PDB file of all heavy atoms in Angstrom:
ATOM      1  N   SER A  30     -89.719-145.194-276.479  1.00 87.00           N
ATOM      2  CA  SER A  30     -89.608-144.296-277.632  1.00 87.00           C
ATOM      3  C   SER A  30     -89.043-142.949-277.325  1.00 87.00           C
ATOM      4  O   SER A  30     -88.562-142.293-278.161  1.00 87.00           O
ATOM      5  CB  SER A  30     -91.025-144.099-278.167  1.00 87.00           C
ATOM      6  OG  SER A  30     -91.853-143.552-277.301  1.00 87.00           O
ATOM      7  N   HIS A  33     -88.173-138.372-270.690  1.00 92.00           N
ATOM      8  CA  HIS A  33     -88.367-137.018-270.273  1.00 92.00           C
ATOM      9  C   HIS A  33     -87.532-136.872-268.979  1.00 92.00           C
ATOM     10  O   HIS A  33     -87.534-137.716-268.145  1.00 92.00           O
ATOM     11  CB  HIS A  33     -89.771-136.694-269.974  1.00 92.00           C
ATOM     12  CG  HIS A  33     -90.657-136.486-271.089  1.00 92.00           C
ATOM     13  ND1 HIS A  33     -90.988-135.237-271.665  1.00 92.00           N
ATOM     14  CD2 HIS A  33     -91.222-137.441-271.972  1.00 92.00           C
ATOM     15  CE1 HIS A  33     -91.813-135.426-272.665  1.00 92.00           C
ATOM     16  NE2 HIS A  33     -92.032-136.712-272.839  1.00 92.00           N
ATOM     17  N   GLN A  37     -89.020-130.743-260.416  1.00 92.00           N
ATOM     18  CA  GLN A  37     -90.019-130.384-259.498  1.00 92.00           C
ATOM     19  C   GLN A  37     -89.585-129.568-258.289  1.00 92.00           C
ATOM     20  O   GLN A  37     -88.773-130.196-257.470  1.00 92.00           O
ATOM     21  CB  GLN A  37     -90.981-131.546-258.943  1.00 92.00           C
ATOM     22  CG  GLN A  37     -92.156-131.151-258.111  1.00 92.00           C
ATOM     23  CD  GLN A  37     -93.059-132.386-257.780  1.00 92.00           C
ATOM     24  OE1 GLN A  37     -92.591-133.418-257.711  1.00 92.00           O
ATOM     25  NE2 GLN A  37     -94.327-132.168-257.625  1.00 92.00           N
ATOM     26  N   GLY A  41     -93.750-127.486-255.630  1.00 77.00           N
ATOM     27  CA  GLY A  41     -94.616-128.434-256.217  1.00 77.00           C
ATOM     28  C   GLY A  41     -94.775-128.441-257.655  1.00 77.00           C
ATOM     29  O   GLY A  41     -95.186-129.448-258.340  1.00 77.00           O
ATOM     30  N   ILE A  43     -94.172-128.658-261.654  1.00 89.00           N
ATOM     31  CA  ILE A  43     -93.309-129.604-262.437  1.00 89.00           C
ATOM     32  C   ILE A  43     -93.019-128.937-263.786  1.00 89.00           C
ATOM     33  O   ILE A  43     -93.929-128.409-264.428  1.00 89.00           O
ATOM     34  CB  ILE A  43     -93.999-130.922-262.635  1.00 89.00           C
ATOM     35  CG1 ILE A  43     -94.301-131.618-261.271  1.00 89.00           C
ATOM     36  CG2 ILE A  43     -93.151-131.757-263.586  1.00 89.00           C
ATOM     37  CD1 ILE A  43     -95.027-132.932-261.429  1.00 89.00           C
ATOM     38  N   SER A  45     -90.995-129.734-267.514  1.00 89.00           N
ATOM     39  CA  SER A  45     -90.368-130.533-268.370  1.00 89.00           C
ATOM     40  C   SER A  45     -89.039-129.958-268.934  1.00 89.00           C
ATOM     41  O   SER A  45     -89.048-128.963-269.549  1.00 89.00           O
ATOM     42  CB  SER A  45     -91.321-130.978-269.585  1.00 89.00           C
ATOM     43  OG  SER A  45     -90.539-131.813-270.439  1.00 89.00           O
ATOM     44  N   MET A  48     -86.882-133.663-273.464  1.00 89.00           N
ATOM     45  CA  MET A  48     -87.438-134.891-274.074  1.00 89.00           C
ATOM     46  C   MET A  48     -86.395-135.372-275.054  1.00 89.00           C
ATOM     47  O   MET A  48     -85.968-134.726-275.958  1.00 89.00           O
ATOM     48  CB  MET A  48     -88.689-134.606-274.806  1.00 89.00           C
ATOM     49  CG  MET A  48     -89.512-135.889-275.113  1.00 89.00           C
ATOM     50  SD  MET A  48     -88.985-136.711-276.667  1.00 89.00           S
ATOM     51  CE  MET A  48     -89.537-135.515-277.909  1.00 89.00           C
ATOM     52  N   LYS A  54     -78.759-133.455-275.355  1.00 92.00           N
ATOM     53  CA  LYS A  54     -79.390-132.116-275.614  1.00 92.00           C
ATOM     54  C   LYS A  54     -78.813-131.233-274.492  1.00 92.00           C
ATOM     55  O   LYS A  54     -78.465-131.606-273.380  1.00 92.00           O
ATOM     56  CB  LYS A  54     -80.868-132.157-275.416  1.00 92.00           C
ATOM     57  CG  LYS A  54     -81.532-132.759-276.670  1.00 92.00           C
ATOM     58  CD  LYS A  54     -83.047-132.596-276.647  1.00 92.00           C
ATOM     59  CE  LYS A  54     -83.597-133.141-277.990  1.00 92.00           C
ATOM     60  NZ  LYS A  54     -85.058-133.137-277.912  1.00 92.00           N
ATOM     61  N   LEU A  90     -91.024-143.126-271.827  1.00 87.00           N
ATOM     62  CA  LEU A  90     -92.322-143.253-272.577  1.00 87.00           C
ATOM     63  C   LEU A  90     -92.150-144.551-273.379  1.00 87.00           C
ATOM     64  O   LEU A  90     -91.198-144.776-274.094  1.00 87.00           O
ATOM     65  CB  LEU A  90     -92.434-142.101-273.461  1.00 87.00           C
ATOM     66  CG  LEU A  90     -93.744-142.061-274.296  1.00 87.00           C
ATOM     67  CD1 LEU A  90     -95.055-142.067-273.447  1.00 87.00           C
ATOM     68  CD2 LEU A  90     -93.758-140.935-275.257  1.00 87.00           C
ATOM     69  N   GLY A  94     -95.974-145.487-276.965  1.00 68.00           N
ATOM     70  CA  GLY A  94     -96.307-144.080-276.829  1.00 68.00           C
ATOM     71  C   GLY A  94     -97.400-143.839-275.806  1.00 68.00           C
ATOM     72  O   GLY A  94     -97.880-142.723-275.597  1.00 68.00           O
ATOM     73  N   ASN A  95     -97.958-144.856-275.185  1.00 67.00           N
ATOM     74  CA  ASN A  95     -99.101-144.720-274.313  1.00 67.00           C
ATOM     75  C   ASN A  95     -98.782-144.819-272.753  1.00 67.00           C
ATOM     76  O   ASN A  95     -99.509-144.435-272.052  1.00 67.00           O
ATOM     77  CB  ASN A  95    -100.119-145.781-274.658  1.00 67.00           C
ATOM     78  CG  ASN A  95    -100.814-145.565-275.976  1.00 67.00           C
ATOM     79  OD1 ASN A  95    -100.661-144.550-276.626  1.00 67.00           O
ATOM     80  ND2 ASN A  95    -101.501-146.607-276.387  1.00 67.00           N
ATOM     81  N   PHE A  97     -96.328-144.204-269.488  1.00 82.00           N
ATOM     82  CA  PHE A  97     -95.096-143.592-268.919  1.00 82.00           C
ATOM     83  C   PHE A  97     -94.631-144.329-267.681  1.00 82.00           C
ATOM     84  O   PHE A  97     -95.498-144.871-266.870  1.00 82.00           O
ATOM     85  CB  PHE A  97     -95.449-142.218-268.279  1.00 82.00           C
ATOM     86  CG  PHE A  97     -95.141-141.052-269.269  1.00 82.00           C
ATOM     87  CD1 PHE A  97     -96.133-140.220-269.768  1.00 82.00           C
ATOM     88  CD2 PHE A  97     -93.878-140.761-269.619  1.00 82.00           C
ATOM     89  CE1 PHE A  97     -95.847-139.215-270.602  1.00 82.00           C
ATOM     90  CE2 PHE A  97     -93.519-139.712-270.419  1.00 82.00           C
ATOM     91  CZ  PHE A  97     -94.544-138.949-270.920  1.00 82.00           C
ATOM     92  N   PHE A  99     -92.209-143.906-264.503  1.00 91.00           N
ATOM     93  CA  PHE A  99     -91.513-142.776-263.682  1.00 91.00           C
ATOM     94  C   PHE A  99     -90.472-143.428-262.832  1.00 91.00           C
ATOM     95  O   PHE A  99     -90.816-144.403-262.041  1.00 91.00           O
ATOM     96  CB  PHE A  99     -92.616-142.066-262.930  1.00 91.00           C
ATOM     97  CG  PHE A  99     -93.521-141.283-263.831  1.00 91.00           C
ATOM     98  CD1 PHE A  99     -94.758-141.781-264.092  1.00 91.00           C
ATOM     99  CD2 PHE A  99     -93.152-139.992-264.242  1.00 91.00           C
ATOM    100  CE1 PHE A  99     -95.608-140.951-264.863  1.00 91.00           C
ATOM    101  CE2 PHE A  99     -93.976-139.233-265.075  1.00 91.00           C
ATOM    102  CZ  PHE A  99     -95.230-139.779-265.410  1.00 91.00           C
TER     103      PHE A  99
ATOM    104  N   TYR B  35    -102.276-136.746-264.212  1.00 94.00           N
ATOM    105  CA  TYR B  35    -101.280-137.494-263.340  1.00 94.00           C
ATOM    106  C   TYR B  35    -101.842-137.293-261.820  1.00 94.00           C
ATOM    107  O   TYR B  35    -102.436-136.473-261.437  1.00 94.00           O
ATOM    108  CB  TYR B  35     -99.893-136.858-263.417  1.00 94.00           C
ATOM    109  CG  TYR B  35     -99.188-137.050-264.764  1.00 94.00           C
ATOM    110  CD1 TYR B  35     -99.367-136.084-265.714  1.00 94.00           C
ATOM    111  CD2 TYR B  35     -98.503-138.109-265.081  1.00 94.00           C
ATOM    112  CE1 TYR B  35     -98.729-136.171-266.849  1.00 94.00           C
ATOM    113  CE2 TYR B  35     -97.819-138.202-266.341  1.00 94.00           C
ATOM    114  CZ  TYR B  35     -97.932-137.197-267.258  1.00 94.00           C
ATOM    115  OH  TYR B  35     -97.418-137.311-268.401  1.00 94.00           O
ATOM    116  N   GLN B  37     -99.763-137.691-257.937  1.00 92.00           N
ATOM    117  CA  GLN B  37     -98.471-137.919-257.324  1.00 92.00           C
ATOM    118  C   GLN B  37     -98.741-138.062-255.770  1.00 92.00           C
ATOM    119  O   GLN B  37     -99.408-137.288-255.143  1.00 92.00           O
ATOM    120  CB  GLN B  37     -97.591-136.650-257.475  1.00 92.00           C
ATOM    121  CG  GLN B  37     -96.240-136.777-256.955  1.00 92.00           C
ATOM    122  CD  GLN B  37     -95.353-135.631-257.193  1.00 92.00           C
ATOM    123  OE1 GLN B  37     -95.802-134.554-257.150  1.00 92.00           O
ATOM    124  NE2 GLN B  37     -94.055-135.861-257.507  1.00 92.00           N
ATOM    125  N   LEU B  43     -95.081-140.270-259.116  1.00 89.00           N
ATOM    126  CA  LEU B  43     -95.942-139.809-260.241  1.00 89.00           C
ATOM    127  C   LEU B  43     -96.524-140.997-261.012  1.00 89.00           C
ATOM    128  O   LEU B  43     -95.872-141.916-261.276  1.00 89.00           O
ATOM    129  CB  LEU B  43     -95.145-138.983-261.168  1.00 89.00           C
ATOM    130  CG  LEU B  43     -95.214-137.460-261.156  1.00 89.00           C
ATOM    131  CD1 LEU B  43     -94.232-136.900-262.168  1.00 89.00           C
ATOM    132  CD2 LEU B  43     -96.629-136.951-261.294  1.00 89.00           C
ATOM    133  N   LEU B  45     -99.247-141.771-264.334  1.00 89.00           N
ATOM    134  CA  LEU B  45    -100.158-141.306-265.414  1.00 89.00           C
ATOM    135  C   LEU B  45    -101.576-141.980-265.225  1.00 89.00           C
ATOM    136  O   LEU B  45    -101.648-143.272-265.190  1.00 89.00           O
ATOM    137  CB  LEU B  45     -99.600-141.555-266.757  1.00 89.00           C
ATOM    138  CG  LEU B  45    -100.410-141.193-267.987  1.00 89.00           C
ATOM    139  CD1 LEU B  45    -100.668-139.685-268.039  1.00 89.00           C
ATOM    140  CD2 LEU B  45     -99.880-141.716-269.272  1.00 89.00           C
ATOM    141  N   TYR B  48    -104.795-140.191-270.658  1.00 89.00           N
ATOM    142  CA  TYR B  48    -104.475-139.085-271.544  1.00 89.00           C
ATOM    143  C   TYR B  48    -105.390-139.001-272.746  1.00 89.00           C
ATOM    144  O   TYR B  48    -105.937-140.059-273.207  1.00 89.00           O
ATOM    145  CB  TYR B  48    -102.979-139.056-271.910  1.00 89.00           C
ATOM    146  CG  TYR B  48    -102.534-139.673-273.198  1.00 89.00           C
ATOM    147  CD1 TYR B  48    -102.552-139.033-274.326  1.00 89.00           C
ATOM    148  CD2 TYR B  48    -101.977-141.027-273.063  1.00 89.00           C
ATOM    149  CE1 TYR B  48    -102.042-139.627-275.462  1.00 89.00           C
ATOM    150  CE2 TYR B  48    -101.502-141.617-274.239  1.00 89.00           C
ATOM    151  CZ  TYR B  48    -101.541-140.891-275.442  1.00 89.00           C
ATOM    152  OH  TYR B  48    -101.090-141.492-276.589  1.00 89.00           O
ATOM    153  N   ASP B  56    -105.631-143.666-273.614  1.00 82.00           N
ATOM    154  CA  ASP B  56    -105.262-144.695-272.756  1.00 82.00           C
ATOM    155  C   ASP B  56    -105.715-144.309-271.231  1.00 82.00           C
ATOM    156  O   ASP B  56    -105.274-143.307-270.748  1.00 82.00           O
ATOM    157  CB  ASP B  56    -103.719-144.859-272.759  1.00 82.00           C
ATOM    158  CG  ASP B  56    -103.316-146.118-272.031  1.00 82.00           C
ATOM    159  OD1 ASP B  56    -103.964-146.597-271.020  1.00 82.00           O
ATOM    160  OD2 ASP B  56    -102.165-146.537-272.279  1.00 82.00           O
ATOM    161  N   SER B  58    -105.660-146.717-268.858  1.00 83.00           N
ATOM    162  CA  SER B  58    -105.273-147.977-267.996  1.00 83.00           C
ATOM    163  C   SER B  58    -104.677-147.556-266.656  1.00 83.00           C
ATOM    164  O   SER B  58    -104.650-148.405-265.707  1.00 83.00           O
ATOM    165  CB  SER B  58    -104.227-148.749-268.789  1.00 83.00           C
ATOM    166  OG  SER B  58    -103.118-147.961-269.136  1.00 83.00           O
ATOM    167  N   PHE B  91    -101.905-133.651-261.129  1.00 95.00           N
ATOM    168  CA  PHE B  91    -101.451-132.681-262.096  1.00 95.00           C
ATOM    169  C   PHE B  91    -102.148-132.933-263.448  1.00 95.00           C
ATOM    170  O   PHE B  91    -102.380-134.069-263.811  1.00 95.00           O
ATOM    171  CB  PHE B  91     -99.903-132.888-262.275  1.00 95.00           C
ATOM    172  CG  PHE B  91     -99.106-132.439-261.101  1.00 95.00           C
ATOM    173  CD1 PHE B  91     -98.691-133.276-260.184  1.00 95.00           C
ATOM    174  CD2 PHE B  91     -98.741-131.095-261.008  1.00 95.00           C
ATOM    175  CE1 PHE B  91     -97.854-132.830-259.056  1.00 95.00           C
ATOM    176  CE2 PHE B  91     -97.977-130.653-259.980  1.00 95.00           C
ATOM    177  CZ  PHE B  91     -97.547-131.491-258.999  1.00 95.00           C
ATOM    178  N   ALA B  99     -97.281-137.336-276.132  1.00 66.00           N
ATOM    179  CA  ALA B  99     -96.223-137.403-275.116  1.00 66.00           C
ATOM    180  C   ALA B  99     -94.828-137.258-275.682  1.00 66.00           C
ATOM    181  O   ALA B  99     -93.852-137.017-274.954  1.00 66.00           O
ATOM    182  CB  ALA B  99     -96.341-138.662-274.285  1.00 66.00           C
ATOM    183  N   GLN B 100     -94.650-137.591-276.931  1.00 65.00           N
ATOM    184  CA  GLN B 100     -93.265-137.431-277.527  1.00 65.00           C
ATOM    185  C   GLN B 100     -92.982-136.037-278.011  1.00 65.00           C
ATOM    186  O   GLN B 100     -91.982-135.887-278.637  1.00 65.00           O
ATOM    187  CB  GLN B 100     -93.201-138.412-278.727  1.00 65.00           C
ATOM    188  CG  GLN B 100     -93.345-139.926-278.212  1.00 65.00           C
ATOM    189  CD  GLN B 100     -92.962-140.821-279.432  1.00 65.00           C
ATOM    190  OE1 GLN B 100     -91.920-140.639-280.091  1.00 65.00           O
ATOM    191  NE2 GLN B 100     -93.781-141.796-279.685  1.00 65.00           N
ATOM    192  N   TYR B 102     -92.357-131.850-277.915  1.00 59.00           N
ATOM    193  CA  TYR B 102     -91.789-130.766-277.162  1.00 59.00           C
ATOM    194  C   TYR B 102     -92.924-129.974-276.542  1.00 59.00           C
ATOM    195  O   TYR B 102     -94.094-130.132-276.917  1.00 59.00           O
ATOM    196  CB  TYR B 102     -90.882-129.966-277.974  1.00 59.00           C
ATOM    197  CG  TYR B 102     -89.747-130.777-278.587  1.00 59.00           C
ATOM    198  CD1 TYR B 102     -89.879-131.328-279.838  1.00 59.00           C
ATOM    199  CD2 TYR B 102     -88.549-131.015-277.814  1.00 59.00           C
ATOM    200  CE1 TYR B 102     -88.838-132.158-280.415  1.00 59.00           C
ATOM    201  CE2 TYR B 102     -87.581-131.768-278.404  1.00 59.00           C
ATOM    202  CZ  TYR B 102     -87.695-132.291-279.645  1.00 59.00           C
ATOM    203  OH  TYR B 102     -86.715-133.117-280.160  1.00 59.00           O
ATOM    204  N   TYR B 104     -93.986-129.798-273.550  1.00 78.00           N
ATOM    205  CA  TYR B 104     -94.791-130.569-272.565  1.00 78.00           C
ATOM    206  C   TYR B 104     -94.952-129.698-271.389  1.00 78.00           C
ATOM    207  O   TYR B 104     -93.857-129.499-270.690  1.00 78.00           O
ATOM    208  CB  TYR B 104     -94.120-131.890-272.418  1.00 78.00           C
ATOM    209  CG  TYR B 104     -94.930-132.976-271.720  1.00 78.00           C
ATOM    210  CD1 TYR B 104     -95.703-133.822-272.547  1.00 78.00           C
ATOM    211  CD2 TYR B 104     -94.995-133.106-270.386  1.00 78.00           C
ATOM    212  CE1 TYR B 104     -96.404-134.854-271.995  1.00 78.00           C
ATOM    213  CE2 TYR B 104     -95.650-134.199-269.833  1.00 78.00           C
ATOM    214  CZ  TYR B 104     -96.406-134.988-270.643  1.00 78.00           C
ATOM    215  OH  TYR B 104     -97.074-136.023-270.049  1.00 78.00           O
ATOM    216  N   PHE B 106     -96.855-128.686-267.663  1.00 91.00           N
ATOM    217  CA  PHE B 106     -97.614-129.082-266.427  1.00 91.00           C
ATOM    218  C   PHE B 106     -98.345-127.898-265.936  1.00 91.00           C
ATOM    219  O   PHE B 106     -97.826-126.809-265.887  1.00 91.00           O
ATOM    220  CB  PHE B 106     -96.739-129.751-265.339  1.00 91.00           C
ATOM    221  CG  PHE B 106     -96.364-131.081-265.679  1.00 91.00           C
ATOM    222  CD1 PHE B 106     -95.248-131.315-266.556  1.00 91.00           C
ATOM    223  CD2 PHE B 106     -96.960-132.179-265.069  1.00 91.00           C
ATOM    224  CE1 PHE B 106     -94.819-132.650-266.730  1.00 91.00           C
ATOM    225  CE2 PHE B 106     -96.512-133.474-265.317  1.00 91.00           C
ATOM    226  CZ  PHE B 106     -95.440-133.697-266.165  1.00 91.00           C
TER     227      PHE B 106
END
Side-chain angles (χ1 to χ4, degrees):
Chain A
S30 57
H33 288 260
Q37 186 169 28
I43 299 177
S45 176
M48 193 277 290
K54 288 191 177 176
L90 181 63
N95 291 348
F97 263 118
F99 292 96
Chain B
Y35 294 91
Q37 186 178 39
L43 262 177
L45 176 65
Y48 93 88
D56 190 336
S58 59
F91 288 98
Q100 295 192 48
Y102 299 93
Y104 196 90
F106 282 79

